[in-house]
Amino acid sequence: MILENLKLRCYRNLTEADIAWNEHFNIIYGQNAQGKTNLLEAIYLLGHLKSFRGARGNELINHAEETAWVGAVVTQGVVKHRLEIGLQKNGRNPRIDGKTVQKLSQFLGYFRTVLFTPEELSNVKGFPAGRRALLDRAILQTEPAYLDRVQEYDRVLRQRNQLLKQQADDFQLAPWTEALVRTGSRIRHDRQVYLKRLLPHFCQVYREIGGGQESAGLNYSIEQMPLEQLTAHLAGALERLALREKKLGLTLAGPHRDDLDFLVEGRSLRAFGSQGQQRSFLLAFKAAQVMDLEVQFKEPPVLLLDDLASELDNRRQEGFFNFLLNRRGQVFLTSAQTPLLTEPVLQTGSFFKVDQGMVTATSPERG
Amino acid sequence: MLDSIPSFARLVAELAKFPGVGNKTATRLAFFLLRQPKGQAEALAGAILDLQRNTRFCSVCFHITEQDPCALCCDPGRDATLLCVVEEPQALLAIERSRSFKGLYHVLHGALSPLDGIGPEDLKIAPLISRLEQGGFQEILIATNFTVEGDATALYLAKLIQPLGIRVTRLAYGIPMGSELEYVDEATVNRAVEGRRDI
């Protein structure tokens, strides 16, 4: 998977850009607040249709403008596709090869990326929602139809919560509970299947990156079981929680309340982990995602690294860059200073300077 | 600019209320009407008034009709043991076009959606149940839409009808006729596989 070029119009502070990329290493550098992360965000948007900074559509448009546009040519296997996203104040208009898509999920899968950003470190330690988001975004890159299932569940959940708030009787609640059980157990199943596939990659890479002998694990808050049992399990939980749900006016069981626990030596990283362990963990989780995508699609995904060098100590940085160098795929990285790069990167990479929203290809400047 | 021609502006504003019609289309339509012979505009206005004046909902099935009960409800050739429940009159017309169903109908005028404040009392559910209680029906085919709300409405009705001892069926999911599997979206293929049957 290669991003051949990228054109931007009125995207945040990047008013106009037309960039041809290197098929291996792309180093985006410049002072802070010039637009480096905006550029990375635009690339991410092509793969996820969402900002990784939680920004809504209209925040992506330059304040002086009404609309913005992101266009790119990507190569998938041997085929090139033209991807475009028109951004208006009230929505997005994604197109593939000039054709408008019927469903957003059709757009996903044309350009698979894995993002590494220090902002996500807080997810490892923070609220369960952050960890669910990490997991769900990873699944979406392997299975676009997962988006339809998540959207369906979300709709059922909101309808059911509304009824609970209104103190509706059991009879009115029943069809929504049934729909919640059907769609919710399906999402739990998807998540478990994915984690099971990810785990061996994850354990291997955690040891390589961390360089230590610690054993690592991923634990989903619901025990693994076949889909039919998951369905019965969720139905049973909702039955037990029925009284409390009515009191609180909220759905209290389902994939929207599950958690993903990161374990080191069998202990939860949330409670006991050091900063260093949390970083290694996030990197290993992402790296495992990369390895899984390579196995699933016989092609490496594009890696997006946002200001990562500043967050890692030298030893981890070295281990991590070694991991990257051994991949065949395309890499984009942003950095305020020219990062500590090894010779192969300097030799084969391309450098792009971002200054006040202008992007220019340059030769490497050693910082 | 339009403000200087109040009668033109008024028509544009009225037309722009139509579904799928914005200001630009409304203006185009208004210019079209402006250029029509006088009789044409009167015919259109008359048709709109007639529609409002002459149609109402059938007191039995709640389909649109000019006579009450409607022609479908009065047709002795239809199977009075079979009842099809739909969300909107448009859905009824779609099934009628297919000529695949020979029973009677019941239009709910919507689907359950708590977020939009639509509960059972806002739909024609109570008249449906009293219709069923009068007896005679052997099967109820629920043909609500295949949306989250349509599915929930179907489940709700099924539970409500169950004590009456009448068979309840749901329209099958599946692959559209004449389409090739590779072009069908995954959710539809998924449901078609789940709903497979012996041949």
Side-chain angles (χ1 to χ4, degrees):
Chain A
M1 190 129 315
I2 303 287
L3 180 66
E4 303 280 347
N5 67 36
L6 179 73
K7 290 183 189 178
L8 299 174
R9 258 204 330 261
C10 308
Y11 187 88
R12 292 202 190 248
N13 76 331
L14 308 164
T15 40
E16 187 89 55
D18 185 351
I19 311 153
W21 299 106
N22 181 305
E23 63 174 42
H24 202 187
F25 275 98
N26 296 279
I27 298 101
I28 300 163
Y29 71 100
Q31 302 286 311
N32 281 326
Q34 301 300 308
K36 297 186 301 289
T37 302
N38 292 349
L39 191 53
L40 206 67
E41 180 186 46
I43 298 172
Y44 181 89
L45 190 73
L46 288 165
H48 295 253
L49 279 170
K50 243 185 176 179
S51 158
F52 60 81
R53 293 188 281 188
R56 279 174 302 152
N58 55 7
E59 295 171 56
L60 305 179
I61 304 168
N62 190 307
H63 0 268
E65 303 290 335
E66 286 294 308
T67 61
W69 180 84
V70 179
V73 172
V74 301
T75 303
Q76 194 181 33
V78 291
V79 184
K80 289 190 198 311
H81 291 288
R82 202 168 81 244
L83 303 182
E84 292 167 81
I85 304 172
L87 297 162
Q88 292 100 36
K89 296 267 177 208
N90 55 1
R92 300 156 291 190
N93 176 22
R95 296 203 291 177
I96 305 165
D97 296 322
K99 285 171 286 190
T100 305
V101 298
Q102 302 297 315
K103 282 204 284 188
L104 293 183
S105 60
Q106 288 174 339
F107 195 82
L108 302 173
Y110 275 85
F111 182 58
R112 293 188 193 90
T113 63
V114 176
L115 169 78
F116 296 77
T117 167
E119 281 160 47
E120 285 185 329
L121 269 173
S122 59
N123 289 346
V124 175
K125 212 177 168 145
F127 295 108
R131 287 182 292 277
R132 284 194 301 268
L134 275 181
L135 176 59
D136 284 346
R137 270 178 265 164
I139 299 174
L140 279 177
Q141 292 294 292
T142 70
E143 206 186 341
Y146 184 65
L147 181 64
D148 300 331
R149 297 203 275 271
V150 169
Q151 284 173 339
E152 188 183 357
Y153 178 76
D154 196 54
R155 179 90 190 157
V156 172
L157 178 66
R158 289 195 303 138
Q159 294 275 25
R160 187 172 186 272
N161 281 343
Q162 182 64 34
L163 276 183
L164 284 167
K165 264 185 219 109
Q166 292 167 6
Q167 311 285 323
D169 58 46
D170 287 344
F171 199 84
Q172 275 199 57
L173 211 52
W176 297 102
T177 305
E178 205 172 319
L180 192 89
V181 167
R182 183 177 59 80
T183 54
S185 51
R186 185 72 213 255
I187 288 172
R188 281 180 167 173
H189 187 251
D190 287 343
R191 286 179 181 170
Q192 291 181 346
V193 167
Y194 180 75
L195 285 171
K196 196 175 171 192
R197 211 171 69 205
L198 203 68
L199 193 62
H201 297 307
F202 175 78
C203 293
Q204 182 203 331
V205 91
Y206 184 80
R207 241 169 272 138
E208 279 176 25
I209 294 176
Q213 296 303 309
E214 300 167 333
S215 73
L218 295 164
N219 190 30
Y220 191 65
S221 57
I222 302 295
E223 198 192 326
Q224 272 197 27
M225 51 185 116
L227 184 57
E228 305 82 70
Q229 280 178 41
L230 281 172
T231 308
H233 182 273
L234 182 52
L238 288 170
E239 224 173 282
R240 280 193 301 281
L241 291 163
L243 281 177
R244 277 183 56 205
E245 282 196 329
K246 276 184 194 144
K247 210 175 280 168
L248 296 170
L250 267 180
T251 298
L252 294 176
H256 68 292
R257 295 184 67 98
D258 294 347
D259 198 356
L260 174 66
D261 219 353
F262 296 150
L263 304 173
V264 174
E265 298 287 345
R267 296 200 305 173
S268 168
L269 202 64
R270 232 181 328 148
F272 302 103
S274 71
Q275 287 264 337
Q277 280 174 322
Q278 287 168 13
R279 282 183 191 137
S280 296
F281 219 92
L282 185 64
L283 289 182
F285 184 75
K286 296 288 183 160
Q289 205 184 317
V290 174
M291 291 160 83
D292 174 63
L293 283 167
E294 282 184 19
V295 173
Q296 298 295 314
F297 301 101
K298 317 274 180 278
E299 190 179 35
V302 170
L303 304 192
L304 308 176
L305 316 179
D306 187 29
D307 201 21
L308 213 62
S310 67
E311 281 289 322
L312 298 169
D313 57 58
N314 277 349
R315 188 175 57 87
R316 282 206 176 78
Q317 193 169 319
E318 213 183 294
F320 187 61
F321 277 118
N322 282 337
F323 169 80
L324 292 183
L325 285 174
N326 293 329
R327 306 282 117 198
R328 292 163 293 129
Q330 193 182 24
V331 178
F332 293 83
L333 65 95
T334 67
S335 179
Q337 71 271 37
T338 316
L340 294 161
L341 294 173
T342 45
E343 279 305 314
V345 178
L346 287 171
Q347 278 163 21
T348 59
S350 297
F351 288 73
F352 300 88
K353 184 168 185 171
V354 183
D355 189 26
Q356 295 183 12
M358 297 294 291
V359 186
T360 35
T362 63
S363 56
E365 293 171 19
R366 300 195 183 221
Chain B
M1 179 224 113
L2 277 183
D3 296 342
S4 60
I5 326 165
S7 48
F8 192 86
R10 180 183 162 201
L11 180 61
V12 170
E14 289 299 334
L15 289 170
K17 293 179 187 168
F18 281 53
V21 176
N23 263 323
K24 275 185 193 161
T25 310
T27 309
R28 253 183 78 202
L29 293 173
F31 270 115
F32 171 79
L33 287 167
L34 191 67
R35 294 198 188 99
Q36 294 303 301
K38 188 164 175 273
Q40 181 60 41
E42 270 166 10
L44 177 66
I48 293 171
L49 287 176
D50 272 1
L51 179 74
Q52 288 282 333
R53 232 179 257 140
N54 300 342
T55 61
R56 69 199 96 162
F57 294 126
C58 169
S59 60
V60 180
C61 74
F62 299 95
H63 184 40
I64 324 160
T65 182
E66 292 198 9
Q67 56 177 66
D68 191 19
C70 73
L72 283 164
C73 287
C74 295
D75 184 349
R78 300 196 72 104
D79 183 348
T81 65
L82 199 54
L83 185 73
C84 176
V85 180
V86 294
E87 284 181 28
E88 299 291 346
Q90 295 94 304
L92 185 157
L93 296 177
I95 296 174
E96 275 302 284
R97 269 199 305 275
S98 76
R99 297 173 183 282
S100 55
F101 181 77
K102 287 283 166 261
L104 299 173
Y105 288 96
H106 192 90
V107 184
L108 295 173
H109 290 277
L112 295 174
S113 179
L115 287 171
D116 300 309
I118 301 173
E121 65 287 349
D122 300 302
L123 305 174
K124 304 294 178 196
I125 289 178
L128 169 67
I129 299 304
S130 51
R131 241 181 124 179
L132 298 183
E133 279 167 350
Q134 284 164 22
F137 289 110
Q138 287 169 11
E139 179 183 342
I140 312 302
L141 168 59
I142 301 179
T144 50
N145 293 333
F146 290 97
T147 56
V148 164
E149 290 76 19
D151 278 342
T153 308
L155 285 172
Y156 180 84
L157 290 178
K159 288 215 167 65
L160 207 57
I161 298 168
Q162 207 175 28
L164 302 176
I166 304 170
R167 182 181 177 213
V168 181
T169 52
R170 177 90 167 104
L171 222 53
Y173 303 104
I175 310 297
M177 273 298 284
S179 60
E180 290 169 44
L181 264 178
E182 58 176 310
Y183 299 119
V184 179
D185 73 279
E186 289 168 57
T188 306
V189 175
N190 212 322
R191 287 196 155 175
V193 170
E194 281 169 8
R196 68 188 180 274
R197 58 176 193 201
D198 296 319
I199 49 170

